[in-house]
Amino acid sequence: MTTAINGRHIPDRLTSPAARALKSWEALLLVVAIAIFILNALASPYFLDPWNLSDASFNFTEKAMIAFAMAMLIVAGEIDLSVGAIIALASTVMGLAMTAGASTPVLVLLGLGTGLLCGAFNGLLVAGFGLPSIVVTIGTMSLFRGVSYIVLGDGAFTGYPESFAWFGQGYVFWVVTVELVIFALAALVFGILLHRTSFGRMVYAIGNNATAARFSGIRVERIRFVLFLLTGLMSGIAAICLTSRLGSTRPSIAAGFELEVVTIVVLGGVSILGGSGSVPGVVLAALVMGLVTFGLGLLNVPGIVMSIVTGALLISVIALPRLWAMARRR
Amino acid sequence: MQAEYRPQDGAAPVLSLRGIVKTFPGVRALDGVRLDLYPGQVTALIGENGAGKSTIVKILTGIYQPDEGEILVDGQPVAFPTAQAAGAAGVTAIHQETVLFDELTVAENIFIGHAPRNRWGLIDRRAMRARARAILAGIGADLNPAARLRDLGIASKHLVAIARALSIDARVVIMDEPTAALSHKEIAELYELVDKLRAQGKAILFISHKFDEIFRIADRWTVFRDGQFVDQGQMEDVTEADLVRMMVGRPVDQIYPKRPARIGEPVLTVAGYSHPTEFADITFTLRRGEILGFYGLVGAGRSEVMQALFGITRPSKGACRIEGKVRVIRSTAQAVDAGIVYVPEDRGRQGAVKGLPIFQNVTLPSLARTSRAGFLRLAEEFALAREYTQRLDLRAASLDQDVALLSGGNQQKVVIAKWLATRPRVIILDEPTKGIDIGSKAAVHDFMSELAAQGLSVIMVSSEIPEVLGMSDRVIVMREGRIAGEFASERMTPENLVRAAVGLDRDAPRPGEGEAA
Amino acid sequence: MSLLKSRETILALAILALLAAIASRFPGFVAPRNLARVLTDTSPLILLALGQMAVILTKCIDLSVAANLALCGMVAALMNGAGVPLPLILLAVVLLGAALGAVNGLLVWRLGIPSIVVTLGTMTIYRGSIFLMTGGAWINAHQMSDAFKAFPRTVVLGLPVMAWIGLAGIAAMALLLTRTPLGRAFHAVGGNPHAAVYTGISVGRTQCAAFVLSGALAGLTGYLWVARYAVAYVDIAAGFELDVVAACVIGGIAIAGGAGTVAGAVMGALFLGIIKNALPVVGISPFWQMAISGSAILLAIAFNAASRRDPGRIILKQAEHRT
């Protein structure tokens, strides 16, 4: 500790980061995840089978990849509702290239490139022209998917090369799928980016108070643009995985993804108003969503009922703490 | 119009406050204050920024609820749980901030919340416009009630706000710094209006810190200091010096610890800075170790010039040199690179990122220095934050505490610490002590002197004459977006500054005048 | 009051230009009978856009309208199957829609949850509830009574009832927004929430009222939709909420709240309705519609942003004279 020059000494921290983590939203999510895991294990004998669990991971990995980028975007006070449409467009571009005989590496590059271009388009409109991201991405959502419909109509692209199937159907070792590895890598990269770099710090500052961030010499527009670019890139990666897994492209591919991605992000404790949230929270939220869906699936609950559970979960995770606070104030 | 009202001796107050306490996280805004408002009399509420004037207005108009104490109307205790309850009790306010709606018409703005209805319960637009026209005529405002507010100028909007306050049958009218944004002529018209209201027997609470205004208009005075009631009385029994002493609580000359500094070579040279609507022909030089004051009325364009220098807005013309080198500043990042930093007036919105901890606020513009290859190094950040917060004598529980939990004065210290950590050449302080407590104020002043003595160049925008005179080596006065005069040494008198600021200083030639129309 | 404000005028001109362009090749499209058909076809979008507009004026957004519509439509079909008379069904769907809107509104008002989160959640809940009620079954034309199906198509004074309901909705909304305290409060709350508090308007209560209004209109439209297309199932009007928001955005309703007119919302809906109806006529695949409306949204946002750009403070005297 240095000695005070003319002021009094102020301690760096009063509570240790570990103590803080114990009382956090993420800790609560972890408890919920474990509880659901145990409940599922008790409810169904098939649940603990590693192959079943590995299979079940597909229902969150693609969405969660995007959720990491979306989390950063929402922390910065923006939103991208066009992610599902970006997947559709990227998948369509890959499909067109595939029918023209493109090889797997070219397909992958086109998928990533389309994602980046779409992200850049959103970023240009929001950061460059200062338009509100929610309506811009509602517009680009129609535009991107609309282009897919123009290309495909009610048709589909099928017949992707065998090597392309690796991304969505392959295993790295034992039960660990390629998608699961991409998910874990994305979690790591985005976790470091948001929590351990000055870029991440600036994202928090912008989300808390964009004006004050600009008045602190931060290039707010540039950071917003990069965030849209990242979201586009992750949507491109998800498009590769999803197309590879389904083995076909229809214009309705990944319909409604944007809502599920936002749900994961919000469930993960990211404030929809910006300024707070963490990548570990999003990871846990993705796991919780995956476990709930899988568990209900094992109990033969139809998909649409699961969506009710998702919607109720989304509202109640935000409503319950507020109700609790209101009740305590009384 | 009602008959002329003559206040009787010993008339009872219409409205009284007793023992009002209001606390916010980190601040005790009001600490057991009292206030009495008499019919047919103007009571001036006097106090420095941060004395609790705005809070009392919000309590009187039902926006805030007091933690303790009572509100008495005609001697009976009442509560104002909502703005409508205050209106129903006959309390109305002309607020400092614009509380109007740009997308609605003049008449709708006047009557929103209590519009006249026809027999089907719909808004009776004809009646509303007729009544709006009558009220506007009553205050001498020539405005079309059907005009959209968006299309009006600032002075006209102010008249709409006044008309709105008068549209309810008020017994108590609160005017919160009503002349701040008005021209000389408009101020004279406002005085006439106040006289008219007084003659109608309304109790008027007049909040201002301009003494000439208070002595012109008020019958009674009440002084608050740091959220506490100091004293009250009749205007004829008090002098300006008495009021100043009560406001400040100690002799004036002790507050400004200006040290003689060695003023060196020019650091910042601004030549012909202009903006299409905000300012024109701004030319000045700032030297090493100098504190240059910028004085003017609120809305004279001083902050706008400073924000252009800091890269928030772009000037349409003009050049800026730093240490002789021409610098084009198009973003705040470029300004920081060039060594110009800006402590904004609007601390809550522009200064501090309140949701982030102290240390993160301090290091925000210096992240390139505290991180390595883009990766954060927390130890470096804490070291930097520790160094500068201690130099500013910050009071906080820990550096990990959110800035939102600090008092206004300590938030300001965090903002200043943030900029000093970038080791700037020029620091611009925009109303640096507005709304902060006296202790922090002294610390900021003290520190400003120290910085200048160490060779930093300081621009201080301030609307408080004693502060400008007490701290500056030289003062530039702005009026209506232009430099109206520059004053140093013996010409730096309160009278000269005010004359230049209000445009009485006809001797000084001002370029560009007469081109209008 | 200025009759023609630039935003609405330009949109009206754009619609006229669009109609003229279509008519130059296909004059039959602008025949009164066909235009009446377009109006009838666009009525559901108009009604929902009017409700959405109230919500957007108060700085919120209602993404649950299409799910609300589908749920109320299903309830109407089920009630019809149970033999409930039509007037009662109409009353029931409006009340149910309003109640579903009130759920959104209360969550926004009482718990302060951002509207986009609330309606994202209720959207899936409302649509899922249809499945819970029916087990995923469809209700087809032959399961509906003739009176139930015929009402929206009944022609009165040359226009089907459906179109008349759309027109009545426009008139009622115009009256509500310009002539009632609540309507003015919608503008006030979104335009300057801070000031609204000073004038004694409750921001949350006003937002809640907007959601109730939007919900009631969605409920009514639910019946119209099911009766007109003579089918009810879980996924009717899926994704329609985006068309509704698009109509508002194209109509110049500021997503930041406070600014927008009934004329704008109606024209935004008509613009989309005309495109939808014209595509098959001019021989363009209907698959183009989504991309066209997406482009229209983006153009409308860019245009509105440009026309609303803050001119900044006017301090200089000569600048004040110039503007």
Side-chain angles (χ1 to χ4, degrees):
Chain A
M1 295 286 136
T2 54
T3 51
I5 298 165
N6 60 16
R8 61 193 63 196
H9 175 73
I10 303 169
D12 288 352
R13 287 195 165 108
L14 287 180
T15 46
S16 71
R20 224 181 241 199
L22 264 182
K23 280 187 273 181
S24 64
W25 181 252
E26 288 79 0
L28 183 67
L29 271 177
L30 187 63
V31 172
V32 171
I34 293 171
I36 297 174
F37 191 87
I38 294 172
L39 277 177
N40 278 344
L42 293 177
S44 165
Y46 307 107
F47 178 78
L48 282 176
D49 180 89
W51 290 101
N52 276 346
L53 281 173
S54 154
D55 235 26
S57 67
F58 286 118
N59 65 36
F60 68 86
T61 43
E62 289 138 7
K63 289 159 201 157
M65 291 170 202
I66 307 174
F68 298 133
M70 183 81 89
M72 285 192 82
L73 202 53
I74 294 180
V75 168
E78 304 290 334
I79 198 165
D80 185 349
L81 295 177
S82 72
V83 289
I86 295 177
I87 293 181
L89 187 57
S91 186
T92 306
V93 170
M94 287 189 286
L96 278 173
M98 179 264 296
T99 44
S103 64
T104 298
V106 173
L107 292 183
V108 170
L109 282 178
L110 282 172
L112 299 178
T114 310
L116 279 172
L117 273 179
C118 291
F121 187 63
N122 284 330
L124 183 72
L125 291 173
V126 174
F129 299 129
L131 305 175
S133 59
I134 179 158
V135 278
V136 162
T137 55
I138 283 178
T140 53
M141 169 181 183
S142 293
L143 180 63
F144 297 157
R145 198 180 286 281
V147 173
S148 290
Y149 270 105
I150 292 173
V151 172
L152 278 164
D154 45 12
F157 289 124
T158 51
Y160 283 93
E162 214 143 279
S163 57
F164 187 70
W166 181 73
F167 296 96
Q169 302 170 21
Y171 291 85
V172 175
F173 66 92
W174 191 42
V175 297
V176 179
T177 63
V178 176
E179 285 200 11
L180 214 48
V181 170
I182 297 177
F183 163 77
L185 282 177
L188 197 67
V189 169
F190 278 94
I192 290 171
L193 188 60
L194 184 58
H195 301 296
R196 289 282 180 272
T197 68
S198 46
F199 180 83
R201 177 68 57 72
M202 293 183 212
V203 168
Y204 277 109
I206 292 171
N208 261 291
N209 184 340
T211 310
R214 176 172 294 114
F215 273 79
S216 299
I218 292 178
R219 292 176 162 92
V220 175
E221 270 68 38
R222 191 176 296 179
I223 290 177
R224 282 190 182 138
F225 182 82
V226 171
L227 291 176
F228 276 101
L229 213 55
L230 284 175
T231 310
L233 176 69
M234 293 316 290
S235 305
I237 295 176
I240 295 167
C241 292
L242 186 62
T243 310
S244 156
R245 181 158 68 89
L246 301 175
S248 69
T249 299
R250 279 172 214 287
S252 62
I253 187 172
F257 253 48
E258 55 281 343
L259 302 185
E260 291 187 57
V261 169
V262 171
T263 304
I264 291 176
V265 172
V266 172
L267 187 61
V270 176
S271 161
I272 197 85
L273 303 173
S276 71
S278 76
V279 170
V282 176
V283 172
L284 288 166
L287 291 176
V288 166
M289 291 270 286
L291 286 169
V292 168
T293 320
F294 180 42
L296 291 175
L298 283 176
L299 299 173
N300 286 323
V301 174
I304 184 128
V305 177
M306 290 184 207
S307 75
I308 299 187
V309 175
T310 314
L313 212 55
L314 174 65
I315 292 177
S316 51
V317 292
I318 300 177
L320 288 179
R322 293 183 191 215
L323 280 171
W324 173 245
M326 277 168 85
R328 269 216 311 205
R329 236 179 288 139
R330 292 267 155 83
Chain B
M1 290 287 128
Q2 289 162 310
E4 179 93 346
Y5 182 92
R6 292 180 192 291
Q8 294 134 3
D9 285 340
V14 186
L15 190 145
S16 301
L17 300 178
R18 291 286 177 267
I20 298 288
V21 174
K22 180 72 188 173
T23 52
F24 298 104
V27 212
R28 202 168 173 87
L30 291 175
D31 192 2
V33 298
R34 60 175 293 172
L35 181 68
D36 295 293
L37 302 177
Y38 295 85
Q41 301 203 24
V42 176
T43 304
L45 177 58
I46 307 161
E48 286 198 296
N49 293 324
K53 292 173 295 180
S54 303
T55 312
I56 206 88
V57 172
K58 288 187 170 134
I59 284 175
L60 282 171
T61 50
I63 307 294
Y64 288 165
Q65 303 308 310
D67 301 333
E68 287 170 40
E70 53 184 3
I71 306 172
L72 305 169
V73 172
D74 295 329
Q76 299 301 310
V78 292
F80 296 153
T82 62
Q84 261 153 349
V91 179
T92 186
I94 299 160
H95 289 283
Q96 202 175 340
E97 318 105 291
T98 41
V99 292
L100 298 167
F101 306 98
D102 273 348
E103 292 289 324
L104 303 186
T105 66
V106 169
E108 285 168 347
N109 265 292
I110 293 173
F111 285 103
I112 189 155
H114 54 277
R117 315 274 196 96
N118 63 19
R119 74 189 113 126
W120 293 292
L122 296 176
I123 292 174
D124 187 341
R125 278 201 281 197
R126 190 174 304 171
M128 186 166 79
R129 281 182 196 163
R131 278 175 57 186
R133 199 170 286 121
I135 294 169
L136 288 167
I139 59 171
D142 180 27
L143 292 174
N144 176 8
R148 211 158 272 276
L149 199 74
R150 177 163 25 112
D151 304 327
L152 301 186
I154 183 99
S156 304
K157 285 183 184 175
H158 198 74
L159 291 171
V160 174
I162 293 173
R164 164 162 179 79
L166 301 182
S167 68
I168 71 169
D169 192 17
R171 301 173 65 199
V172 176
V173 179
I174 301 164
M175 296 182 159
D176 192 356
E177 307 216 12
T179 59
L182 299 188
S183 73
H184 231 56
K185 181 169 156 283
E186 289 157 354
I187 290 174
E189 287 166 3
L190 184 87
Y191 289 164
E192 281 173 32
L193 177 71
V194 172
D195 289 335
K196 208 183 278 181
L197 295 174
R198 175 177 15 217
Q200 289 170 16
K202 306 214 191 285
I204 297 162
L205 178 63
F206 194 91
I207 298 176
S208 175
H209 50 234
K210 299 183 191 164
F211 280 110
D212 54 337
E213 198 164 284
I214 292 162
F215 279 94
R216 154 75 179 78
I217 207 86
D219 304 299
R220 314 179 66 92
W221 54 269
T222 298
V223 175
F224 284 6
R225 184 175 69 234
D226 293 340
Q228 288 178 327
F229 172 82
V230 178
D231 206 351
Q232 63 180 12
Q234 306 271 349
M235 284 312 292
E236 59 249 37
D237 306 334
V238 78
T239 67
E240 199 165 305
D242 296 336
L243 290 177
V244 170
R245 205 177 43 248
M246 284 187 273
M247 275 169 67
V248 179
R250 50 179 146 162
V252 176
D253 51 323
Q254 274 185 7
I255 304 176
Y256 299 102
K258 173 73 179 130
R259 298 179 206 171
R262 266 225 324 276
I263 294 176
E265 73 286 0
V267 174
L268 171 72
T269 314
V270 177
Y273 250 44
S274 301
H275 182 279
T277 60
E278 292 176 346
F279 51 84
D281 301 325
I282 304 297
T283 300
F284 67 91
T285 304
L286 176 69
R287 294 168 174 280
R288 183 174 304 285
E290 185 181 33
I291 298 183
L292 175 59
F294 264 75
Y295 179 74
L297 298 182
V298 171
R302 295 167 297 163
S303 299
E304 285 76 7
V305 171
M306 299 309 149
Q307 296 191 356
L309 282 174
F310 186 56
I312 299 285
T313 53
R314 293 177 191 177
S316 55
K317 257 193 342 214
C320 158
R321 286 164 188 273
I322 292 165
E323 287 171 351
K325 254 173 55 194
V326 175
R327 289 285 201 151
V328 179
I329 295 170
R330 293 174 181 282
S331 71
T332 54
Q334 284 171 332
V336 176
D337 285 346
I340 300 181
V341 301
Y342 174 69
V343 177
E345 176 184 0
D346 189 346
R347 208 160 32 239
R349 218 168 59 81
Q350 303 171 338
V353 182
K354 286 189 180 177
L356 290 187
I358 295 168
F359 81 95
Q360 297 189 4
N361 266 279
V362 173
T363 58
L364 200 52
S366 310
L367 282 174
R369 200 143 51 84
T370 58
S371 60
R372 185 186 288 149
F375 289 93
L376 297 172
R377 291 187 296 175
L378 286 183
E380 301 282 320
E381 288 193 50
F382 276 116
L384 192 70
R386 211 180 296 129
E387 181 186 342
Y388 284 95
T389 50
Q390 281 178 358
R391 277 179 69 181
L392 277 156
D393 195 18
L394 181 79
R395 310 288 163 90
S398 83
L399 292 177
D400 200 24
Q401 188 181 13
D402 282 357
V403 171
L405 299 172
L406 300 179
S407 70
N410 281 309
Q411 290 183 5
Q412 185 73 315
K413 289 180 192 170
V414 171
V415 178
I416 296 176
K418 165 177 89 177
W419 286 128
L420 293 180
T422 66
R423 300 179 197 146
R425 295 187 179 90
V426 176
I427 183 164
I428 304 169
L429 299 151
D430 197 344
E431 305 281 1
T433 59
K434 188 177 161 187
I436 70 179
D437 58 285
I438 292 211
S440 300
K441 215 167 185 169
V444 169
H445 287 146
D446 205 25
F447 197 68
M448 211 189 292
S449 294
E450 192 190 314
L451 291 176
Q454 288 170 5
L456 196 71
S457 305
V458 180
I459 294 177
M460 181 185 67
V461 175
S462 174
S463 304
E464 288 182 44
I465 288 260
E467 185 176 64
V468 171
L469 293 177
M471 294 306 303
S472 313
D473 295 303
R474 192 157 55 97
V475 178
I476 287 176
V477 179
M478 282 187 68
R479 186 172 80 87
E480 289 168 0
R482 294 167 182 279
I483 291 182
E486 188 177 321
F487 304 90
S489 54
E490 71 274 5
R491 289 190 57 228
M492 226 169 84
T493 63
E495 197 173 35
N496 281 344
L497 298 193
V498 172
R499 289 174 72 88
V502 300
L504 288 174
D505 196 11
R506 288 284 165 212
D507 315 332
R510 277 179 306 278
E513 192 133 280
E515 285 168 20
Chain C
M1 193 144 144
S2 60
L3 196 64
L4 297 173
K5 279 189 280 87
S6 62
R7 242 176 291 143
E8 281 75 20
T9 317
I10 287 171
L11 184 56
L13 290 176
I15 290 177
L16 288 178
L18 181 67
L19 284 176
I22 300 166
S24 68
R25 299 273 304 282
F26 305 92
F29 190 79
V30 293
R33 250 181 71 185
N34 192 57
L35 287 182
R37 205 178 57 78
V38 173
L39 174 66
T40 310
D41 193 61
T42 314
S43 287
L45 185 57
I46 290 175
L47 287 170
L48 294 185
L50 290 170
Q52 186 73 256
M53 171 194 173
V55 174
I56 294 180
L57 277 179
T58 67
K59 263 184 158 61
C60 288
I61 193 161
D62 186 354
L63 296 178
S64 73
V65 278
N68 186 337
L69 176 159
L71 178 55
C72 292
M74 178 57 82
V75 167
L78 290 173
M79 286 175 81
N80 173 249
V84 179
L86 190 57
L88 266 182
I89 292 179
L90 280 174
L91 185 68
V93 290
V94 170
L95 289 179
L96 176 64
L100 296 175
V103 170
N104 291 331
L106 286 171
L107 285 168
V108 169
W109 173 24
R110 287 300 187 183
L111 295 182
I113 308 178
S115 60
I116 180 164
V117 176
V118 167
T119 56
L120 214 58
T122 53
M123 160 180 174
T124 59
I125 296 173
Y126 294 166
R127 208 174 273 283
S129 309
I130 307 174
F131 183 88
L132 291 186
M133 276 191 309
T134 62
W138 289 43
I139 296 184
N140 290 309
H142 65 271
Q143 291 159 289
M144 298 177 187
S145 73
D146 288 339
F148 182 83
K149 284 181 286 186
F151 179 62
R153 305 163 197 233
T154 313
V155 175
V156 180
L157 299 174
L159 276 178
V161 166
M162 183 127 149
W164 283 116
I165 292 178
L167 293 173
I170 295 169
M173 197 68 186
L175 204 63
L176 176 79
L177 280 187
T178 57
R179 300 293 297 275
T180 68
L182 181 64
R184 302 285 71 190
F186 288 154
H187 279 100
V189 160
N192 191 346
H194 177 71
V197 175
Y198 278 82
T199 50
I201 297 170
S202 159
V203 175
R205 188 197 303 262
T206 309
Q207 288 172 334
C208 185
F211 276 104
V212 171
L213 184 67
S214 168
L217 284 167
L220 176 65
T221 314
Y223 158 72
L224 294 175
W225 189 291
V226 165
R228 181 154 190 271
Y229 297 108
V231 63
Y233 56 99
V234 172
D235 282 330
I236 59 167
F240 200 59
E241 63 274 353
L242 295 176
D243 291 23
V244 175
V245 173
C248 288
V249 170
I250 292 171
I253 317 297
I255 208 79
T261 61
V262 168
V266 171
M267 286 193 288
L270 281 176
F271 184 82
L272 290 177
I274 290 170
I275 287 180
K276 180 179 160 226
N277 281 278
L279 285 182
V281 176
V282 300
I284 296 175
S285 148
F287 291 115
W288 279 75
Q289 196 200 329
M290 200 181 221
I292 291 174
S293 67
S295 311
I297 295 172
L298 293 177
L299 280 174
I301 307 166
F303 177 78
N304 286 334
S307 69
R308 281 209 191 91
R309 193 128 291 169
D310 187 10
R313 284 182 81 162
I314 296 172
I315 295 168
L316 291 169
K317 274 283 180 262
Q318 70 243 48
E320 193 167 8
H321 288 286
R322 218 183 291 142
T323 46

